[in-house]
Amino acid sequence: MSVCRRCGQEIEWITTAAGRAIPFDPEPVFVIEGDGRDTFTTDDGAPVVGRVARPEEESPELPVAFVPHWKTCGRG
């Protein structure tokens, strides 16, 4: 695991389907696919477009993906 140079939070690097290594927050989220415009990435690099599921919507049937760190970076 790495640490963000700007904010100090832990990050994971995932290579996307396009071959780019991008930093992501280490905690996966459930994604409501097709309901929203945010792009997430699965651990194998596949993109998932939608929004983060609210706690009451979380379900094992939903895709699990990671949030790009630039969306949450505190830029400390």
Side-chain angles (χ1 to χ4, degrees), residues 15-39:
T15 302
T16 66
R20 294 181 55 205
I22 297 178
F24 289 87
D25 291 344
E27 288 297 318
V29 296
F30 288 104
V31 178
I32 304 292
E33 210 168 357
D35 185 14
R37 295 183 178 184
D38 291 328
T39 301

Side-chain angles (χ1 to χ4, degrees), residues 4-51:
C4 176
R5 292 184 294 190
R6 293 183 162 180
C7 71
Q9 288 184 344
E10 289 186 351
I11 54 174
E12 291 280 342
W13 291 89
I14 297 174
T15 302
T16 66
R20 294 181 55 205
I22 297 178
F24 289 87
D25 291 344
E27 288 297 318
V29 296
F30 288 104
V31 178
I32 304 292
E33 210 168 357
D35 185 14
R37 295 183 178 184
D38 291 328
T39 301
F40 305 89
T41 300
T42 63
D43 59 356
D44 64 355
V48 179
V49 178
R51 65 171 174 82

